[in-house]
Amino acid sequence: MNGVLAPVLTPFRADLSPDPARFVRHCRWLLSQGCSGLAVFGTTSEANSLSVEEREELLAELLRAGIEPAKLLPGTGCCALTDTVRLTRAAVRAGCAGVLMLPPFYYKGVSEDGLFRSFAEAIERVGDARLRVYLYHIPPVAQVGFSPRLVERLLKAYPRTVAGMKDSSGDWNNTKAMLDAFAPSGFEVFAGSERFLLANLRHGGAGCITATGNVNAAAISRLFHEWRSQAAEEMQESLNALRSAVEKHPAIPALKAIVAHYSGDPAWRTTRPPLVELPASQAESLLADLRPLGFEPRGLAS
Amino acid sequence: MNGVLAPVLTPFRADLSPDPARFVRHCRWLLSQGCSGLAVFGTTSEANSLSVEEREELLAELLRAGIEPAKLLPGTGCCALTDTVRLTRAAVRAGCAGVLMLPPFYYKGVSEDGLFRSFAEAIERVGDARLRVYLYHIPPVAQVGFSPRLVERLLKAYPRTVAGMKDSSGDWNNTKAMLDAFAPSGFEVFAGSERFLLANLRHGGAGCITATGNVNAAAISRLFHEWRSQAAEEMQESLNALRSAVEKHPAIPALKAIVAHYSGDPAWRTTRPPLVELPASQAESLLADLRPLGFEPRGLAS
């Protein structure tokens, strides 16, 4: 697995139920834009605001719609071991490329032993040689993360299963430490932001899994494919400019506002609580910031 | 609702499945010790390490065993609105005294509007005049909490439903601010630790919901009933001494080690990952600290 993956936004109906039709359309569009895979049920997907059943149903809808499971990297890490096992097993049986696994995130300051045991139990209970686990490191949100020592222990115990990491620490030094320590033996490190895509690829990384991939996948994928070209730095700067415009706002409502605008489908603005929609004035300011950047996502279907 | 409630420890079998027989026995013992209610499925219960179905089954087992629903205050607040609604509805239909509701805790730094909307949606979807919601404020763990303004908005919108709060901030100033602002109109403020029980009662509070209630309910209840007596300060100090001994260790494994020891049932030590059992040496040191305190929980059944 490498390239650019989008943690796919989850559309909701007015009654806040997940909307499979819009979800499938958005997934197809993302693949058409050059996404090499779809990290459905990530943080940007509001996945922890979905029940286990709601995630299962959305995954089933994608498969029914003919989305290739080999393109899917669903998020399956929950607070409860039993939920993690259930979602991971479903993903493996469906033929997904792998799963992106959050650590259990309710208890804070838990021990390395406790986290090791969480992953070990999940992997052994699923008990399937096809399982590929990508560790989801996002301490700014989950507050619970992966130390290099924990990664090392997991790789030693499950070398064929523990396949890589998404590093959403926002700290390049952490990503670089993971690359230096583990990439040479095949561990796939994805930056959690396209801001680090070029640096990540230059140091042996696998690509990026990035929220803004939901709206800017074509340009991000272009850098992934042309990172050795002379234009790479310039392409990186242009990606950064768009990201900076989005980052002035809460990311998920901002991305939903962009999709709503360019698809002409205001229903896309809906978020599930505890998130709230971007206020109209902020959405206008965001769209105004994007215009001079030459941003024009083609074919975003309503 | 007032008095001393225990956030009941959840026993696990060797395969990490919840153990309903031990759970029922422990609940009965806690009621026999003077607990006025059982805050099952709290933080101390490892409830967020349980699936929704596991909580539903344990609740059903308690009812089948004849535990009065009017004594129960189950934790029902999840990250996903749909899970919160499902558990809350089940609790209300079972006749539980109320529910203890965590805010959705995955996303950090969410807005007051988003949290208000989370609770408003949950309350309106359950749509039952019998519902009594106790707000569960535990920022050291959940990281997401309740500002006085949020409490005020919720009370204004749902005066008959929003019944009180458990304040596990560990900050007496916060508890006092909640008491001063809301207790005079009947809002029931429970301290999240017996350390603040006397102060809480002196300022119009309702009691405490405390982890150590799992092992020391008789003494804590005695202070609740005799807080106006001359011996109250001394009783408070004696409770604090026991709590300090427990607090030298991770609380949940420590409490499970105490129950395991005094019930003669080592199976009680089991925790679900990401928590780990208290190492034997720490358990010995804990038990040694308890002995000079005259601690002797009678009748803890294996």
Side-chain angles (χ1 to χ4, degrees):
Chain A
M1 174 76 80
N2 65 15
V4 176
L5 287 86
V8 184
L9 290 164
T10 305
F12 294 103
R13 300 192 187 93
D15 69 358
L16 303 180
S17 62
D19 183 337
R22 283 186 173 86
F23 187 56
V24 167
R25 278 200 297 273
H26 191 54
C27 284
R28 284 195 179 125
W29 181 75
L30 289 170
L31 292 172
S32 81
Q33 295 297 295
C35 277
S36 56
L38 302 172
V40 295
F41 315 138
T43 298
T44 306
S45 318
E46 299 172 71
N48 291 107
S49 302
L50 301 175
S51 69
V52 165
E53 290 81 3
E54 286 170 332
R55 293 200 215 188
E56 285 175 338
E57 282 161 28
L58 285 175
L59 179 59
E61 291 280 357
L62 290 185
L63 300 172
R64 265 197 290 276
I67 303 280
E68 276 180 77
K71 298 279 187 193
L72 296 175
L73 193 71
T76 62
C78 301
C79 291
L81 174 65
T82 36
D83 287 338
T84 300
V85 169
R86 175 170 160 185
L87 287 171
T88 304
R89 196 176 275 150
V92 174
R93 289 189 182 160
C96 293
V99 300
L100 194 53
M101 206 182 272
L102 275 172
F105 53 83
Y106 182 65
Y107 294 102
K108 308 304 187 291
V110 293
S111 66
E112 185 188 299
D113 276 347
L115 290 174
F116 177 83
R117 195 171 159 224
S118 293
F119 282 84
E121 282 286 341
I123 290 169
E124 293 189 4
R125 281 167 190 235
V126 172
D128 194 311
R130 295 169 297 175
L131 174 60
R132 293 290 170 274
V133 172
Y134 291 81
L135 309 173
Y136 188 6
H137 183 61
I138 182 168
V141 183
Q143 310 275 326
V144 178
F146 299 84
S147 65
R149 232 178 80 117
L150 174 59
V151 176
E152 192 179 345
R153 282 179 68 181
L154 287 167
L155 273 170
K156 196 166 178 184
Y158 305 102
R160 273 175 294 274
T161 305
V162 176
M165 165 177 277
K166 175 185 179 187
D167 182 2
S168 295
S169 64
D171 173 6
W172 168 249
N173 290 329
N174 187 69
T175 310
K176 180 145 185 324
M178 294 292 176
L179 285 163
D180 290 347
F182 308 117
S185 49
F187 188 72
E188 298 159 14
V189 177
F190 288 88
S193 160
E194 73 275 30
R195 209 178 271 288
F196 304 118
L197 178 56
L198 186 53
N200 192 45
L201 294 170
R202 283 176 174 167
H203 289 83
C208 66
I209 304 178
T210 178
T212 35
N214 275 283
V215 297
N216 202 28
I220 305 172
S221 295
R222 199 173 143 233
L223 175 54
F224 174 74
H225 290 293
E226 301 175 19
W227 70 271
R228 285 188 171 91
S229 83
Q230 285 197 332
E233 296 278 1
E234 202 180 316
M235 289 163 70
Q236 179 67 67
E237 274 168 36
S238 153
L239 298 183
N240 293 355
L242 186 130
R243 187 164 179 109
S244 294
V246 173
E247 281 177 344
K248 286 190 195 168
H249 309 274
I252 300 166
L255 292 167
K256 286 191 152 178
I258 294 172
V259 174
H261 175 77
Y262 284 96
S263 66
D265 180 7
W268 258 105
R269 296 180 59 240
T270 309
T271 55
R272 231 183 211 193
L275 303 189
V276 292
E277 283 93 56
L278 205 65
S281 61
Q282 277 191 57
E284 273 172 42
S285 142
L286 166 63
L287 295 167
D289 283 347
L290 295 181
R291 254 168 246 128
L293 302 178
F295 175 69
E296 202 178 328
R298 285 166 207 277
L300 250 177
S302 69
Chain B
M1 174 74 80
N2 64 16
V4 177
L5 287 87
V8 184
L9 290 164
T10 305
F12 294 102
R13 299 191 187 94
D15 69 358
L16 304 179
S17 62
D19 183 337
R22 283 186 173 86
F23 188 56
V24 167
R25 278 200 297 272
H26 191 54
C27 284
R28 285 197 179 121
W29 181 75
L30 288 170
L31 292 172
S32 82
Q33 294 298 294
C35 277
S36 56
L38 301 172
V40 295
F41 315 140
T43 298
T44 306
S45 318
E46 300 172 71
N48 291 106
S49 302
L50 301 175
S51 69
V52 164
E53 290 80 4
E54 287 169 332
R55 293 201 216 188
E56 285 176 338
E57 281 161 29
L58 284 175
L59 179 60
E61 291 280 356
L62 290 184
L63 300 171
R64 266 196 289 277
I67 303 281
E68 277 180 75
K71 298 280 188 192
L72 295 175
L73 193 70
T76 62
C78 301
C79 290
L81 174 65
T82 36
D83 287 338
T84 300
V85 169
R86 176 169 160 185
L87 287 171
T88 304
R89 197 175 273 150
V92 173
R93 288 188 181 159
C96 292
V99 299
L100 194 54
M101 206 182 271
L102 275 173
F105 53 84
Y106 182 65
Y107 294 102
K108 307 305 185 292
V110 293
S111 67
E112 184 188 301
D113 275 348
L115 290 174
F116 177 82
R117 194 171 160 224
S118 294
F119 282 84
E121 282 287 340
I123 290 169
E124 293 189 4
R125 282 168 190 235
V126 173
D128 194 310
R130 294 169 299 175
L131 173 61
R132 292 291 170 276
V133 172
Y134 291 81
L135 309 172
Y136 188 6
H137 183 61
I138 183 167
V141 183
Q143 310 276 326
V144 178
F146 299 85
S147 66
R149 233 178 79 118
L150 174 59
V151 177
E152 191 179 347
R153 282 180 68 182
L154 288 167
L155 274 170
K156 197 166 177 184
Y158 304 103
R160 273 175 295 274
T161 304
V162 176
M165 165 177 277
K166 175 184 179 188
D167 183 2
S168 296
S169 64
D171 172 6
W172 167 249
N173 290 329
N174 187 68
T175 311
K176 183 150 184 317
M178 294 291 176
L179 286 163
D180 290 347
F182 308 117
S185 48
F187 188 72
E188 299 159 15
V189 176
F190 288 87
S193 160
E194 73 274 29
R195 209 179 271 287
F196 304 118
L197 178 56
L198 185 53
N200 192 45
L201 295 171
R202 283 176 174 166
H203 289 84
C208 66
I209 304 177
T210 178
T212 36
N214 275 285
V215 297
N216 201 29
I220 305 172
S221 295
R222 196 171 146 234
L223 174 56
F224 174 74
H225 290 293
E226 301 177 18
W227 69 272
R228 286 188 171 92
S229 82
Q230 286 196 330
E233 296 279 2
E234 202 180 316
M235 290 162 70
Q236 179 67 67
E237 274 167 35
S238 153
L239 298 182
N240 294 355
L242 186 129
R243 187 164 178 108
S244 295
V246 173
E247 281 177 344
K248 286 188 194 168
H249 310 275
I252 301 166
L255 292 167
K256 287 192 151 177
I258 295 173
V259 174
H261 175 78
Y262 284 96
S263 65
D265 180 7
W268 258 105
R269 295 180 59 239
T270 309
T271 55
R272 232 184 210 193
L275 303 188
V276 292
E277 282 93 56
L278 205 65
S281 61
Q282 277 191 56
E284 273 171 42
S285 143
L286 167 61
L287 295 167
D289 283 347
L290 294 181
R291 255 169 244 126
L293 302 178
F295 174 70
E296 202 178 327
R298 285 167 207 278
L300 249 178
S302 68

